[in-house]
Amino acid sequence: MDALLVVNAGSSSLKFQIFGITDAGLERQVKGQIAGIGTHPRLQAKSADGTVLVDRSYEAGVVGDLPAAIVAARDWLLTLEGLKLRAIGHRVVHGGPDYAAPVLINAAVLEKLATYQDLAPLHQPNNLAPIRQAMAINPDVPQVACFDTAFHHSHPEEVNCYAMPRHFYDDGVRRYGFHGLSYEYIAERLHEVAPQNAQGRVIVAHLGSGASMCALKDGHSLETTMGFTALDGLPMGTRPGQLDPGVVLYLILQRGMSAKAVSDLLYHEAGLKGLSGVSNDMRDLLASDDPHAKLAIDHFVYRCGLNAGMLAAALGGIDAFVFTAGVGENSAPIRARIAERLAWLGAVLDPVANEAGAMLISTPQSRVALYVLPTDEELMIARHTLALLKTRAA
Ligand code: ADP
């Protein structure tokens, strides 16, 4: 069977999926990852029906970094029979000011993407590593880069600029926004399941360990809560969300913290984890009776409501609100509390549908339709990869 490999590479995990290309479209065949790279490396993969295909642990030194994980994953993938690899689709966090859509990768594109490493130093190098390795090993297999920023690329300058001297904007200091592959998938999904809303004004809340919201109009991004980096906007598992830049200046100038220490704080020690002192995981916070865990949840819900209000203003009102990603898809209590904060917009939750995890969780009287739609960034990457493969063949 002809197949596509989708790769999502981070510093501590390498996620991959295989999609078969059939007459009926794309069919997920394998979903796997190597997690705990450099600490407790573990390769796990399942078939589409949930059958465990592999569950293998490695010594930390054997899979000590991402390149070693890529080799380990490749070695295992080569044992799969009956698949003919047609292309590889990669999640690449930053498409910079240039890329408004996924792109077939060649040496010149790769060089360009490497120049965006300064814009996303924690993610971009990891995203590009498997592209380089695959190019060296398998130069004939086409590769496609799909960007987290591209979906927001159409934002006009008044939306994506900061009030800073002009040359910073020209140098790339802009509000790019992220989670674009998730929002694009949800926009397409909404078109399938609720076409009446897909045409309208919609807020999508991608609430995972990273969290953001996007204002969609007619399926296009109009505004989003993340900015130059994925630190802005909503509070997240370990990131604070919107923060007065004066805090950063204070930490460096008055408290003597190094830039590296501040970066570690903002990316890894803040957010729900820092505020609660308990955990970055919403499940732990909900289960905890520690008052600081309660504060972290209260703050998260409050900021979600506040940011929804901002996006509703950008849209001039809303017709639908979609919950997605880890917290949004799985946590009925958090959905209920956020829905309460949307009451002023006319949202009325159906608590039974919410507890049951139904797709539509608002009452028929609700002026805002509330949905729970699981996201699928990998499928979005596979769709883009297949589309570019076809244009290449044409
Ligand atoms: P990522 O951003 O890493 O892709 P996910 O979208 O998978 O993350 O979201 C992971 C987060 O979802 C976890 O850290 C956890 O806080 C949250 N989560 C998952 N299941 C539940 C649940 N049942 N209740 C509350 N939170 C949940």
Side-chain angles (χ1 to χ4, degrees), residues 10-11 14 34 37-38 41 43 58-76 129-130 133:
S11 60
L14 172 69
I34 297 188
I37 296 170
L43 165 66
Y58 300 82
E59 295 292 319
V62 174
V63 181
D65 55 16
L66 180 60
I70 294 166
V71 172
R74 178 175 182 267
D75 286 349
W76 179 74
Q133 265 171 281

PDB file of all heavy atoms in Angstrom, residues 10-11 14 34 37-38 41 43 58-76 129-130 133:
ATOM      1  N   GLY A  10      10.059  16.703  18.733  1.00  0.00           N
ATOM      2  CA  GLY A  10      10.377  17.660  19.796  1.00  0.00           C
ATOM      3  C   GLY A  10      11.669  17.249  20.469  1.00  0.00           C
ATOM      4  O   GLY A  10      12.309  16.275  20.053  1.00  0.00           O
ATOM      5  N   SER A  11      12.053  17.979  21.532  1.00  0.00           N
ATOM      6  CA  SER A  11      13.343  17.673  22.155  1.00  0.00           C
ATOM      7  C   SER A  11      13.287  16.378  22.947  1.00  0.00           C
ATOM      8  O   SER A  11      14.267  15.641  23.011  1.00  0.00           O
ATOM      9  CB  SER A  11      13.771  18.828  23.055  1.00  0.00           C
ATOM     10  OG  SER A  11      12.801  19.021  24.049  1.00  0.00           O
ATOM     11  N   LEU A  14       9.495  12.038  19.933  1.00  0.00           N
ATOM     12  CA  LEU A  14       9.376  11.974  18.478  1.00  0.00           C
ATOM     13  C   LEU A  14       8.082  11.221  18.192  1.00  0.00           C
ATOM     14  O   LEU A  14       7.969  10.035  18.491  1.00  0.00           O
ATOM     15  CB  LEU A  14      10.576  11.215  17.904  1.00  0.00           C
ATOM     16  CG  LEU A  14      10.522  10.896  16.406  1.00  0.00           C
ATOM     17  CD1 LEU A  14      10.652  12.161  15.574  1.00  0.00           C
ATOM     18  CD2 LEU A  14      11.641   9.922  16.032  1.00  0.00           C
ATOM     19  N   ILE A  34       8.445   7.896  20.206  1.00  0.00           N
ATOM     20  CA  ILE A  34       9.504   7.602  21.171  1.00  0.00           C
ATOM     21  C   ILE A  34       9.463   8.752  22.157  1.00  0.00           C
ATOM     22  O   ILE A  34       9.699   9.909  21.787  1.00  0.00           O
ATOM     23  CB  ILE A  34      10.892   7.511  20.511  1.00  0.00           C
ATOM     24  CG1 ILE A  34      10.922   6.349  19.516  1.00  0.00           C
ATOM     25  CG2 ILE A  34      11.958   7.317  21.594  1.00  0.00           C
ATOM     26  CD1 ILE A  34      12.291   6.055  18.946  1.00  0.00           C
ATOM     27  N   ILE A  37      13.152  10.771  25.458  1.00  0.00           N
ATOM     28  CA  ILE A  37      14.469  10.758  24.805  1.00  0.00           C
ATOM     29  C   ILE A  37      15.526  11.308  25.772  1.00  0.00           C
ATOM     30  O   ILE A  37      15.348  12.379  26.347  1.00  0.00           O
ATOM     31  CB  ILE A  37      14.439  11.604  23.506  1.00  0.00           C
ATOM     32  CG1 ILE A  37      13.475  10.975  22.495  1.00  0.00           C
ATOM     33  CG2 ILE A  37      15.834  11.744  22.911  1.00  0.00           C
ATOM     34  CD1 ILE A  37      13.191  11.850  21.277  1.00  0.00           C
ATOM     35  N   GLY A  38      16.597  10.545  25.973  1.00  0.00           N
ATOM     36  CA  GLY A  38      17.679  10.994  26.847  1.00  0.00           C
ATOM     37  C   GLY A  38      17.449  10.700  28.310  1.00  0.00           C
ATOM     38  O   GLY A  38      18.361  10.847  29.130  1.00  0.00           O
ATOM     39  N   PRO A  41      13.980   6.460  27.387  1.00  0.00           N
ATOM     40  CA  PRO A  41      13.459   6.316  26.020  1.00  0.00           C
ATOM     41  C   PRO A  41      12.563   5.090  25.896  1.00  0.00           C
ATOM     42  O   PRO A  41      12.903   4.002  26.380  1.00  0.00           O
ATOM     43  CB  PRO A  41      14.721   6.140  25.172  1.00  0.00           C
ATOM     44  CG  PRO A  41      15.854   6.551  26.033  1.00  0.00           C
ATOM     45  CD  PRO A  41      15.443   6.331  27.446  1.00  0.00           C
ATOM     46  N   LEU A  43       9.882   3.329  22.946  1.00  0.00           N
ATOM     47  CA  LEU A  43       9.200   3.321  21.647  1.00  0.00           C
ATOM     48  C   LEU A  43       7.902   2.565  21.796  1.00  0.00           C
ATOM     49  O   LEU A  43       7.884   1.415  22.245  1.00  0.00           O
ATOM     50  CB  LEU A  43      10.098   2.625  20.611  1.00  0.00           C
ATOM     51  CG  LEU A  43       9.439   2.193  19.295  1.00  0.00           C
ATOM     52  CD1 LEU A  43       8.983   3.401  18.483  1.00  0.00           C
ATOM     53  CD2 LEU A  43      10.399   1.342  18.470  1.00  0.00           C
ATOM     54  N   TYR A  58      14.635   1.645  25.958  1.00  0.00           N
ATOM     55  CA  TYR A  58      16.057   1.700  25.614  1.00  0.00           C
ATOM     56  C   TYR A  58      16.829   2.286  26.808  1.00  0.00           C
ATOM     57  O   TYR A  58      16.263   3.040  27.605  1.00  0.00           O
ATOM     58  CB  TYR A  58      16.309   2.616  24.414  1.00  0.00           C
ATOM     59  CG  TYR A  58      15.600   2.223  23.144  1.00  0.00           C
ATOM     60  CD1 TYR A  58      14.271   2.581  22.934  1.00  0.00           C
ATOM     61  CD2 TYR A  58      16.260   1.527  22.134  1.00  0.00           C
ATOM     62  CE1 TYR A  58      13.615   2.243  21.758  1.00  0.00           C
ATOM     63  CE2 TYR A  58      15.608   1.176  20.955  1.00  0.00           C
ATOM     64  CZ  TYR A  58      14.282   1.544  20.774  1.00  0.00           C
ATOM     65  OH  TYR A  58      13.634   1.207  19.619  1.00  0.00           O
ATOM     66  N   GLU A  59      18.128   1.964  26.862  1.00  0.00           N
ATOM     67  CA  GLU A  59      19.004   2.658  27.807  1.00  0.00           C
ATOM     68  C   GLU A  59      19.039   4.138  27.408  1.00  0.00           C
ATOM     69  O   GLU A  59      19.024   4.451  26.208  1.00  0.00           O
ATOM     70  CB  GLU A  59      20.430   2.109  27.713  1.00  0.00           C
ATOM     71  CG  GLU A  59      20.589   0.658  28.143  1.00  0.00           C
ATOM     72  CD  GLU A  59      20.367   0.494  29.635  1.00  0.00           C
ATOM     73  OE1 GLU A  59      20.844   1.371  30.383  1.00  0.00           O
ATOM     74  OE2 GLU A  59      19.704  -0.481  30.035  1.00  0.00           O
ATOM     75  N   ALA A  60      19.124   5.016  28.425  1.00  0.00           N
ATOM     76  CA  ALA A  60      19.131   6.454  28.122  1.00  0.00           C
ATOM     77  C   ALA A  60      20.232   6.812  27.125  1.00  0.00           C
ATOM     78  O   ALA A  60      20.038   7.638  26.234  1.00  0.00           O
ATOM     79  CB  ALA A  60      19.299   7.256  29.411  1.00  0.00           C
ATOM     80  N   GLY A  61      21.375   6.157  27.260  1.00  0.00           N
ATOM     81  CA  GLY A  61      22.512   6.476  26.388  1.00  0.00           C
ATOM     82  C   GLY A  61      22.311   6.000  24.957  1.00  0.00           C
ATOM     83  O   GLY A  61      22.914   6.546  24.024  1.00  0.00           O
ATOM     84  N   VAL A  62      21.485   4.983  24.775  1.00  0.00           N
ATOM     85  CA  VAL A  62      21.291   4.416  23.430  1.00  0.00           C
ATOM     86  C   VAL A  62      20.424   5.356  22.585  1.00  0.00           C
ATOM     87  O   VAL A  62      20.678   5.576  21.404  1.00  0.00           O
ATOM     88  CB  VAL A  62      20.655   3.010  23.505  1.00  0.00           C
ATOM     89  CG1 VAL A  62      20.327   2.478  22.118  1.00  0.00           C
ATOM     90  CG2 VAL A  62      21.594   2.058  24.243  1.00  0.00           C
ATOM     91  N   VAL A  63      19.368   5.903  23.215  1.00  0.00           N
ATOM     92  CA  VAL A  63      18.551   6.912  22.531  1.00  0.00           C
ATOM     93  C   VAL A  63      18.692   8.201  23.341  1.00  0.00           C
ATOM     94  O   VAL A  63      17.798   8.629  24.058  1.00  0.00           O
ATOM     95  CB  VAL A  63      17.079   6.447  22.400  1.00  0.00           C
ATOM     96  CG1 VAL A  63      16.258   7.505  21.673  1.00  0.00           C
ATOM     97  CG2 VAL A  63      17.006   5.130  21.623  1.00  0.00           C
ATOM     98  N   GLY A  64      19.897   8.773  23.221  1.00  0.00           N
ATOM     99  CA  GLY A  64      20.261   9.904  24.083  1.00  0.00           C
ATOM    100  C   GLY A  64      19.823  11.247  23.551  1.00  0.00           C
ATOM    101  O   GLY A  64      19.754  12.221  24.287  1.00  0.00           O
ATOM    102  N   ASP A  65      19.533  11.319  22.247  1.00  0.00           N
ATOM    103  CA  ASP A  65      19.089  12.596  21.683  1.00  0.00           C
ATOM    104  C   ASP A  65      18.168  12.330  20.500  1.00  0.00           C
ATOM    105  O   ASP A  65      17.936  11.179  20.122  1.00  0.00           O
ATOM    106  CB  ASP A  65      20.297  13.463  21.283  1.00  0.00           C
ATOM    107  CG  ASP A  65      21.233  12.734  20.320  1.00  0.00           C
ATOM    108  OD1 ASP A  65      20.815  11.707  19.738  1.00  0.00           O
ATOM    109  OD2 ASP A  65      22.366  13.208  20.131  1.00  0.00           O
ATOM    110  N   LEU A  66      17.670  13.424  19.938  1.00  0.00           N
ATOM    111  CA  LEU A  66      16.681  13.286  18.855  1.00  0.00           C
ATOM    112  C   LEU A  66      17.224  12.525  17.643  1.00  0.00           C
ATOM    113  O   LEU A  66      16.542  11.617  17.140  1.00  0.00           O
ATOM    114  CB  LEU A  66      16.148  14.672  18.467  1.00  0.00           C
ATOM    115  CG  LEU A  66      15.118  14.705  17.353  1.00  0.00           C
ATOM    116  CD1 LEU A  66      13.873  13.892  17.700  1.00  0.00           C
ATOM    117  CD2 LEU A  66      14.722  16.143  17.026  1.00  0.00           C
ATOM    118  N   PRO A  67      18.452  12.837  17.152  1.00  0.00           N
ATOM    119  CA  PRO A  67      18.950  12.067  16.002  1.00  0.00           C
ATOM    120  C   PRO A  67      18.977  10.555  16.280  1.00  0.00           C
ATOM    121  O   PRO A  67      18.638   9.754  15.396  1.00  0.00           O
ATOM    122  CB  PRO A  67      20.360  12.627  15.792  1.00  0.00           C
ATOM    123  CG  PRO A  67      20.289  14.029  16.313  1.00  0.00           C
ATOM    124  CD  PRO A  67      19.350  13.970  17.481  1.00  0.00           C
ATOM    125  N   ALA A  68      19.338  10.165  17.497  1.00  0.00           N
ATOM    126  CA  ALA A  68      19.355   8.730  17.832  1.00  0.00           C
ATOM    127  C   ALA A  68      17.933   8.173  17.834  1.00  0.00           C
ATOM    128  O   ALA A  68      17.700   7.030  17.405  1.00  0.00           O
ATOM    129  CB  ALA A  68      20.008   8.530  19.200  1.00  0.00           C
ATOM    130  N   ALA A  69      16.980   8.985  18.294  1.00  0.00           N
ATOM    131  CA  ALA A  69      15.574   8.537  18.298  1.00  0.00           C
ATOM    132  C   ALA A  69      15.063   8.354  16.870  1.00  0.00           C
ATOM    133  O   ALA A  69      14.311   7.422  16.577  1.00  0.00           O
ATOM    134  CB  ALA A  69      14.706   9.548  19.046  1.00  0.00           C
ATOM    135  N   ILE A  70      15.485   9.252  15.988  1.00  0.00           N
ATOM    136  CA  ILE A  70      15.054   9.148  14.589  1.00  0.00           C
ATOM    137  C   ILE A  70      15.568   7.838  13.999  1.00  0.00           C
ATOM    138  O   ILE A  70      14.835   7.120  13.299  1.00  0.00           O
ATOM    139  CB  ILE A  70      15.558  10.375  13.776  1.00  0.00           C
ATOM    140  CG1 ILE A  70      14.868  11.654  14.287  1.00  0.00           C
ATOM    141  CG2 ILE A  70      15.298  10.184  12.288  1.00  0.00           C
ATOM    142  CD1 ILE A  70      15.509  12.940  13.814  1.00  0.00           C
ATOM    143  N   VAL A  71      16.816   7.490  14.299  1.00  0.00           N
ATOM    144  CA  VAL A  71      17.389   6.233  13.791  1.00  0.00           C
ATOM    145  C   VAL A  71      16.609   5.042  14.371  1.00  0.00           C
ATOM    146  O   VAL A  71      16.250   4.103  13.649  1.00  0.00           O
ATOM    147  CB  VAL A  71      18.896   6.144  14.145  1.00  0.00           C
ATOM    148  CG1 VAL A  71      19.434   4.761  13.805  1.00  0.00           C
ATOM    149  CG2 VAL A  71      19.670   7.227  13.396  1.00  0.00           C
ATOM    150  N   ALA A  72      16.320   5.092  15.669  1.00  0.00           N
ATOM    151  CA  ALA A  72      15.591   3.973  16.306  1.00  0.00           C
ATOM    152  C   ALA A  72      14.195   3.823  15.701  1.00  0.00           C
ATOM    153  O   ALA A  72      13.743   2.705  15.413  1.00  0.00           O
ATOM    154  CB  ALA A  72      15.496   4.211  17.813  1.00  0.00           C
ATOM    155  N   ALA A  73      13.525   4.956  15.481  1.00  0.00           N
ATOM    156  CA  ALA A  73      12.175   4.891  14.897  1.00  0.00           C
ATOM    157  C   ALA A  73      12.242   4.358  13.472  1.00  0.00           C
ATOM    158  O   ALA A  73      11.425   3.525  13.063  1.00  0.00           O
ATOM    159  CB  ALA A  73      11.534   6.287  14.907  1.00  0.00           C
ATOM    160  N   ARG A  74      13.225   4.833  12.740  1.00  0.00           N
ATOM    161  CA  ARG A  74      13.367   4.381  11.347  1.00  0.00           C
ATOM    162  C   ARG A  74      13.635   2.869  11.294  1.00  0.00           C
ATOM    163  O   ARG A  74      13.044   2.159  10.488  1.00  0.00           O
ATOM    164  CB  ARG A  74      14.511   5.165  10.682  1.00  0.00           C
ATOM    165  CG  ARG A  74      14.765   4.743   9.260  1.00  0.00           C
ATOM    166  CD  ARG A  74      15.818   5.618   8.603  1.00  0.00           C
ATOM    167  NE  ARG A  74      16.001   5.196   7.225  1.00  0.00           N
ATOM    168  CZ  ARG A  74      16.917   4.315   6.840  1.00  0.00           C
ATOM    169  NH1 ARG A  74      17.730   3.762   7.726  1.00  0.00           N
ATOM    170  NH2 ARG A  74      17.014   3.983   5.565  1.00  0.00           N
ATOM    171  N   ASP A  75      14.525   2.407  12.171  1.00  0.00           N
ATOM    172  CA  ASP A  75      14.831   0.969  12.187  1.00  0.00           C
ATOM    173  C   ASP A  75      13.562   0.158  12.399  1.00  0.00           C
ATOM    174  O   ASP A  75      13.360  -0.883  11.778  1.00  0.00           O
ATOM    175  CB  ASP A  75      15.844   0.647  13.303  1.00  0.00           C
ATOM    176  CG  ASP A  75      17.241   1.120  12.934  1.00  0.00           C
ATOM    177  OD1 ASP A  75      17.440   1.488  11.755  1.00  0.00           O
ATOM    178  OD2 ASP A  75      18.110   1.158  13.830  1.00  0.00           O
ATOM    179  N   TRP A  76      12.702   0.645  13.303  1.00  0.00           N
ATOM    180  CA  TRP A  76      11.462  -0.096  13.553  1.00  0.00           C
ATOM    181  C   TRP A  76      10.495   0.034  12.372  1.00  0.00           C
ATOM    182  O   TRP A  76       9.903  -0.959  11.938  1.00  0.00           O
ATOM    183  CB  TRP A  76      10.786   0.379  14.847  1.00  0.00           C
ATOM    184  CG  TRP A  76       9.524  -0.367  15.054  1.00  0.00           C
ATOM    185  CD1 TRP A  76       9.404  -1.660  15.464  1.00  0.00           C
ATOM    186  CD2 TRP A  76       8.195   0.103  14.776  1.00  0.00           C
ATOM    187  NE1 TRP A  76       8.083  -2.036  15.471  1.00  0.00           N
ATOM    188  CE2 TRP A  76       7.322  -0.972  15.051  1.00  0.00           C
ATOM    189  CE3 TRP A  76       7.664   1.304  14.336  1.00  0.00           C
ATOM    190  CZ2 TRP A  76       5.938  -0.868  14.894  1.00  0.00           C
ATOM    191  CZ3 TRP A  76       6.295   1.415  14.180  1.00  0.00           C
ATOM    192  CH2 TRP A  76       5.449   0.336  14.460  1.00  0.00           C
ATOM    193  N   ALA A 129      15.550  18.584  12.254  1.00  0.00           N
ATOM    194  CA  ALA A 129      16.503  17.456  12.339  1.00  0.00           C
ATOM    195  C   ALA A 129      16.042  16.245  11.527  1.00  0.00           C
ATOM    196  O   ALA A 129      16.827  15.702  10.727  1.00  0.00           O
ATOM    197  CB  ALA A 129      16.757  17.092  13.800  1.00  0.00           C
ATOM    198  N   PRO A 130      14.799  15.785  11.679  1.00  0.00           N
ATOM    199  CA  PRO A 130      14.403  14.606  10.891  1.00  0.00           C
ATOM    200  C   PRO A 130      14.333  14.881   9.393  1.00  0.00           C
ATOM    201  O   PRO A 130      14.522  13.960   8.591  1.00  0.00           O
ATOM    202  CB  PRO A 130      13.018  14.246  11.437  1.00  0.00           C
ATOM    203  CG  PRO A 130      12.565  15.402  12.225  1.00  0.00           C
ATOM    204  CD  PRO A 130      13.761  16.189  12.625  1.00  0.00           C
ATOM    205  N   GLN A 133      17.868  14.419   8.233  1.00  0.00           N
ATOM    206  CA  GLN A 133      18.265  13.003   8.245  1.00  0.00           C
ATOM    207  C   GLN A 133      17.606  12.249   7.091  1.00  0.00           C
ATOM    208  O   GLN A 133      18.240  11.464   6.407  1.00  0.00           O
ATOM    209  CB  GLN A 133      17.917  12.364   9.592  1.00  0.00           C
ATOM    210  CG  GLN A 133      19.132  12.398  10.532  1.00  0.00           C
ATOM    211  CD  GLN A 133      18.791  11.987  11.939  1.00  0.00           C
ATOM    212  OE1 GLN A 133      18.249  12.792  12.690  1.00  0.00           O
ATOM    213  NE2 GLN A 133      19.090  10.753  12.310  1.00  0.00           N
TER     214      GLN A 133
END
